[in-house]
Amino acid sequence: PYNPPSTLNGNNVTLADVERGGVILNGRYEIVKKIDEGGMGVNFLAYDRQVHSRKVAIKFLKEGEENNLWLR
């Protein structure tokens, strides 16, 4: 059966939500797959549904990295 993507908004999105798949962020970015993982976060391939399905990369920071001064 077809399971439509779930739409998640704002700061309530977790890395675990995205890794489960079938997620659209803020009604715009449809997560396709994980493409890379590093020390600070995990990168995903996504499509921007508002700009003709343009491919974009989205990084989710690992827990604790949101306070990293290098990111400001």
Side-chain angles (χ1 to χ4, degrees):
Y2 172 70
N3 292 323
S6 59
T7 299
L8 301 173
N9 292 302
N11 295 328
N12 61 343
V13 180
T14 67
L15 180 57
D17 292 330
V18 175
E19 287 180 327
R20 277 193 287 278
V23 171
I24 297 173
L25 300 173
N26 294 330
R28 182 171 183 169
Y29 302 102
E30 184 173 351
I31 303 296
V32 177
K33 67 179 181 176
K34 179 177 167 180
I35 54 175
D36 192 19
E37 183 171 354
M40 293 176 58
V42 181
N43 300 310
F44 290 88
L45 171 65
Y47 289 113
D48 184 340
R49 296 169 55 144
Q50 291 182 3
V51 184
H52 307 291
S53 296
R54 178 180 61 174
K55 291 181 183 179
V56 297
I58 296 179
K59 175 175 269 190
F60 281 82
L61 298 178
K62 291 183 177 178
E63 189 173 328
E65 288 296 330
E66 65 275 3
N67 295 320
N68 187 326
L69 293 177
W70 286 102
L71 300 176
R72 295 180 185 192

